[in-house]
Structure formats: structure tokens, C-alpha cells
Amino acid sequence: MELSPSPLTYQADAAGSPWSAALCSNVSSGQGDWWPLQLHWQGEVDPLQPELVQVDPVLRLLLLGDGLTTRNLAALTQEPIQAHLLDTGRVDLPAEQRAAPQSMQRLAKDLARLGSPLMRRRVWLCGATSQQPLLYATSWWNSDHLARYLPHPNLPIGQNLIQEKLETFRELRRLYYGEAEPIARLLNCPGPFWARHYLLLHRGQPLTVIYEVFSSRLRARVLPG
């Protein structure tokens, strides 16, 4: 698989929707297709978790923060954040749930809250100037929500929400710590990695389930200033 594609460059089709092609395509739901970590640890989203004591403060704030990830990354790196697409397409909800590792069953159950048809979108984020990889993310959407609330496929989710002035609530669900060789190659840094998954809610209803894996380079001593 190509791990460093160009930035997203969707064009609207004749129907006027930039998502039309993706809504008609399928991606597989096999074990590991969205690169779940091989876990050393997982736990509740609690700032007092003993396992978080040794985590760099910058990374700890990213893991536990309930603000927009792209905005937080931009503030920390002092540069705009750019999204690069890995793949987007329809997945079968039951198959996607069965393919989730046993250690991530809470995530699998959260997918059911989105309903069908289900879309999966995988991206990585980097600094627009430095091109330094910062994060790998998978998000799952009901297809109606994807087309309605993510109208600019060339932008990260957070920037879409800002432009659409959409009020959302982030329900942090689980923290993870583990390894994934494809992510190490994509982010160009060794694991283990810290990750999280959460629900993004609008008016009390789930819009998307998001799984984020942060670069192990996100530490205070390697950021600008």
C-alpha cells in the first residue's frame, strides 16, 4: 500500500457532491484494515490514570483534550495542518464490527450507533509547511452524515466543522497504547504509540466515531519554540 499519497484532491461530480464516488465504492473490512494497535495497555479516559504519569505533557493534553484535534495540532506546531487521504469507502457494519480486535470491542459497539450505510475514511495529518507527519486517523460515518457535515473532503474534519459552524460535543471513550508497523512507517517514527477513540456528537446524536493515533514525536522538546 502507498503510505504517502498526495493531499486530498476530490472534485465534485455531475451530481454536485464531492463524496459521490466514495459513497459508491467499497473498502474491505478485514482484520487490521484500519491498523488497530497491538495493545500493551488500554484504559478509561481519566487524567489520573497512573499509566499517563510518564507521558509527555504535550501528548497527554492531546489525548485528554476535548477540543478540535487539528486546531490543537496547529497551535502546538505553529503551522497549518494538512490532511492526506489513504482511502474512503463503504464498509459493511457487521463485518467491520467482527473485524475489530477483541481488545477494542467498545469501539466496535460504538459503530452500531452510526447505523448503515457505513463509511470509513482514513487519513494522516501533517504540518502544511514542514510536512512532518503528526497523526493517523480512521473515522466512521453514516453516509448521510458524511455528505452533509463534511462538505470539503480536502480539509481535516476539524476545519470542516469550523467552516460549517457546527456545534459538536466530543465524548472521549477509550485510551490505547501499543504498536502497529504500518503506522510506524506512515508516521516515520517508531512505536509504541498513544491513541484514543471518541464519539463526535451533534445535538446529542453521534456524527462519527474517530480513532486517532499520535506520532511519538509529539513531545514538548521537539515542537517550535
Side-chain angles (χ1 to χ4, degrees):
M1 176 183 290
E2 176 62 46
L3 296 181
S4 299
S6 300
L8 298 164
T9 54
Y10 279 93
Q11 299 293 326
D13 65 6
S17 171
W19 288 112
S20 294
L23 292 171
C24 296
S25 65
N26 295 310
V27 292
S28 63
S29 294
Q31 179 83 31
D33 282 342
W34 47 273
W35 302 344
L37 297 177
Q38 297 179 11
L39 296 181
H40 301 317
W41 177 86
Q42 64 170 303
E44 299 294 332
V45 183
D46 181 351
L48 300 181
Q49 286 276 13
E51 289 78 7
L52 296 177
V53 172
Q54 300 302 319
V55 178
D56 184 273
V58 165
L59 186 51
R60 190 159 66 243
L61 285 172
L62 288 169
L63 283 168
L64 299 172
D66 58 4
L68 296 173
T69 302
T70 47
R71 177 175 281 177
N72 291 340
L73 288 172
L76 289 168
T77 61
Q78 299 177 26
E79 61 179 321
I81 302 303
Q82 189 174 61
H84 296 251
L85 179 69
L86 290 170
D87 55 48
T88 304
R90 289 189 304 179
V91 291
D92 178 71
L93 174 57
E96 196 79 344
Q97 291 179 297
R98 290 193 300 269
Q102 192 61 35
S103 57
M104 291 187 175
Q105 287 306 296
R106 181 177 295 186
L107 186 152
K109 291 178 181 178
D110 285 343
L111 296 182
R113 298 175 65 178
L114 301 175
S116 295
L118 187 68
M119 303 289 295
R120 187 180 69 204
R121 176 177 184 257
R122 301 192 310 139
V123 303
W124 61 280
L125 303 183
C126 69
T129 303
S130 66
Q131 291 296 297
Q132 176 68 50
L134 302 170
L135 174 145
Y136 161 77
T138 300
S139 60
W140 291 266
W141 301 75
N142 181 282
S143 61
D144 290 340
H145 290 162
L146 183 70
R148 184 184 311 168
Y149 298 116
L150 212 67
H152 308 291
N154 59 314
L155 296 178
I157 292 172
Q159 292 180 28
N160 269 275
L161 298 178
I162 291 171
Q163 289 199 12
E164 295 301 304
K165 296 181 172 59
L166 194 69
E167 293 185 1
T168 58
F169 171 75
R170 188 173 270 91
E171 183 181 326
L172 302 177
R173 300 286 287 160
R174 200 76 172 161
L175 299 178
Y176 307 101
Y177 183 65
E179 313 266 1
E181 180 57 31
I183 295 177
R185 288 187 282 118
L186 175 68
L187 300 181
N188 194 29
C189 63
F193 301 99
W194 282 96
R196 65 181 186 171
H197 99 260
Y198 57 89
L199 284 160
L200 203 61
L201 306 171
H202 175 58
R203 296 178 178 175
Q205 298 301 312
L207 288 183
T208 177
V209 174
I210 302 178
Y211 162 71
E212 295 176 336
V213 183
F214 294 93
S215 168
S216 56
R217 287 202 177 98
L218 281 167
R219 304 186 300 274
R221 63 179 179 272
V222 300
L223 293 172

